[in-house]
Amino acid sequence: MAHQYPGPPPEQPDGNPYATPRDGGPADPGYGHPQGGPEPGYGYPGHAAPPPPASGGYQGGYQGGYQGQQPPGGAGMALSLGDIAVTGDTIMTPAGPMPLRGAVWTATDMSRTEERIPTHAVVLAIVFFLFCLLGLLFLLMKERTTTGFVQVAVHSGGRHHSTMIPVQSPEQVMYVFNQVNYARSLSV
């Protein structure tokens, strides 16, 4: 079966198929126009009409954050720890905004570092033990692996939120703790 397309949009007197007619009436539904479009105010709370656009310039606004929250005073993000973000004088979390002033930050290291002899060191020790006794020095080789999370929690304005940040090295653990210390200095 062949695909059928509705055809090009209807031409307007000035040559622009997307311009509104000069008589001020509704345009004919053409290509790309929904037939019997949505009711006025569709998608807005309480079926209210959408706000009129501002005159001239950039029409967009802040699109980030949670649940349409606006950063106070247009300030940018100063800090981000997992799903916790500090913008201006507000802490943004999925649970909602919290005031930055007086916030209590806690960080708990839930990671572990294991030290073991790697497999290739054991193989080299066995091979070189047969030729000379220096092969036992390969058993001194150690491999450290860090796995786990750092839990970061914040209490402010009667709310609480915590997040788990995965870490793979002791340096990452220290980085998260330094970020929490910076957040504490902003909360004073």
Side-chain angles (χ1 to χ4, degrees):
M1 175 170 191
H3 294 286
Q4 296 180 358
Y5 296 100
E11 290 293 325
Q12 298 295 327
D14 62 354
N16 183 354
Y18 302 106
T20 56
R22 293 185 186 189
D23 61 0
D28 292 333
Y31 181 76
H33 293 275
Q35 303 296 321
E39 63 187 54
Y42 175 78
Y44 290 93
H47 297 288
S55 60
Y58 175 66
Q59 303 286 326
Y62 176 73
Q63 299 297 322
Y66 298 101
Q67 303 164 357
Q69 299 166 351
Q70 297 285 335
M77 184 169 50
L79 175 70
S80 176
L81 290 163
D83 57 1
I84 300 172
V86 177
T87 57
D89 60 351
T90 305
I91 303 168
M92 304 295 249
T93 66
M98 299 180 200
L100 179 61
R101 180 173 290 271
V104 177
W105 296 84
T106 56
T108 307
D109 184 7
M110 302 175 93
S111 66
R112 66 174 189 224
T113 301
E114 296 175 345
E115 187 174 296
R116 64 181 189 90
I117 300 172
T119 307
H120 65 274
V122 174
V123 171
L124 289 172
I126 293 171
V127 169
F128 282 101
F129 177 72
L130 299 176
F131 297 114
C132 61
L133 295 176
L134 293 176
L136 295 177
L137 292 176
F138 285 108
L139 294 177
L140 296 177
M141 292 175 60
K142 302 290 181 191
E143 180 180 67
R144 291 184 180 165
T145 56
T146 300
T147 57
F149 299 89
V150 175
Q151 181 182 22
V152 177
V154 60
H155 303 271
S156 181
R159 290 188 177 178
H160 166 78
H161 183 73
S162 67
T163 186
M164 303 286 272
I165 301 171
V167 291
Q168 288 84 27
S169 70
E171 290 80 19
Q172 287 180 338
V173 173
M174 288 310 301
Y175 176 77
V176 173
F177 275 99
N178 288 337
Q179 292 288 86
V180 170
N181 286 335
Y182 178 63
R184 285 178 183 145
S185 70
L186 294 176
S187 298
V188 176

